[in-house]
Amino acid sequence: MDLIAQLHAGLPGDAVLTDPDITGAYANDMASFCEAGTPAVVVLPRTVEQVQHVMRTATALRVPVVPQGARTGLSGAANASDGCIVLSLVKMDRIIEINPVDRIAVVEPGVVNAVLSRAVNEHGLYYPPDPSSWEQCSIGGNIGTASGGLCCVKYGVTAEYVLGLDVVLADGRLLTTGRRTAKGVAGYDLTRLFVGSEGSLGIVVGAVLALKPEPPQQLALAAEFPSTAAACEAVCQIMARGHAPSLLELMDRTSVRAVNDMAQMGLPDSTEALLLAAFDTPDPAADLAAVGELCTAAGATEVVPAETAAESDMLLQARRLTLTALERVKSATMIDDVCVPRSRLAEMLDGTAAIAEKHDLTIGVVAHAGDGNTHPTVCFDAADPDESRRARESFDDIMALGLELGGTITGEHGVGVLKKEWLARELGPVGLELQRGIKDVFDPLGLLNPGKLF
């Protein structure tokens, strides 16, 4: 009760939620196999000062704090711990400034990605990071997990667009990092340190984001292949020849068939892999023609280029439907996020197929092929204990395969609860020690998002 009373002293009444039926809805994000605790209270501040009050109260009473965005994450990074304050930032949703001259946007963390994207488009500008949940996910969550998206192959990930941050530290102090300028190298890059830190170092309450001029409308092509190896060879040739697609996505046989079964898209049963490429260059048709030739040389059985934006959208529809289609295969899905060097993408896909056979499971793979980021999706029956066990074991096998191929356990979803054991393996003992030391500097009492990452 002392906690609730002190929170009320600096927050409006409707910003403090204590009804267990309501607070329970804030207990977890969208990850499978991740434990979640029971929060003591959920707070929904609207101002920086209110966030500072929450953190000062938490520090004074030694209460853990779990920051949350839209809870669309897939690693358990936003899951509550027992007795914590869940600090939901969804009410801090203002776009404070869009500056076409400096090509920046200044936003609060609760701004939804798609809302920002459409707002800057009105100024002839473009905010490239586009996670698949862009209609729901928040900028603060994107920063916390260093999100990616379909356009990463050309435009990069969230970290490359965060110029500066306002961060409330564990003790309630306000830290401003970075800059509004196009260049700046003063001191250590604390801004990049916070990106991907999953709320374990501080609470992001504002961000200065870089923008780009809005590109031309993209055109796409779809290429069908008789093997994943042939499709991956096409990917390697496209990148080796210096092409810069705005999108380069790959779907394996399982994903293609799941989409066919759901949407009757008419893709041949013989399709073992579908490669989708798009260009937003001044002459996308010429780029598509060149890439089409490379696909044919790599063994594509059919290459279909679009001539209009509407045709492009139709070609890309299969990729957009993939997760929904795989969710129909079984009662539950577990989405992995392993990134490997492009040159080893075929080994990753073939290895995942072998893992699916080993565990007698359906595992569909879609990949941001242009940057080697694969999303194996394990389909299983959550009500079957043995199948659930095999699903978790296959998930671990996939991560081990990614590391063996010189990759990383996460390209864009983050570590959270789901992968912290694997983070230790990837970092090694020296790297883990140094990262824990950084955590101790920013959060000496261990109150910020405990149990995540390490």
Side-chain angles (χ1 to χ4, degrees), residues 150 218 312-314 316-324:
L150 299 184
Q218 69 178 8
S312 293
D313 287 341
M314 289 179 62
L316 297 177
Q317 185 68 4
R319 173 63 180 86
R320 295 191 184 104
L321 292 174
T322 302
L323 180 56
T324 302

Side-chain angles (χ1 to χ4, degrees), residues 317-338:
Q317 185 68 4
R319 173 63 180 86
R320 295 191 184 104
L321 292 174
T322 302
L323 180 56
T324 302
L326 289 171
E327 286 174 342
R328 290 162 53 97
V329 174
K330 289 280 188 171
S331 65
T333 57
M334 191 176 191
I335 306 172
D336 213 326
D337 169 41
V338 175

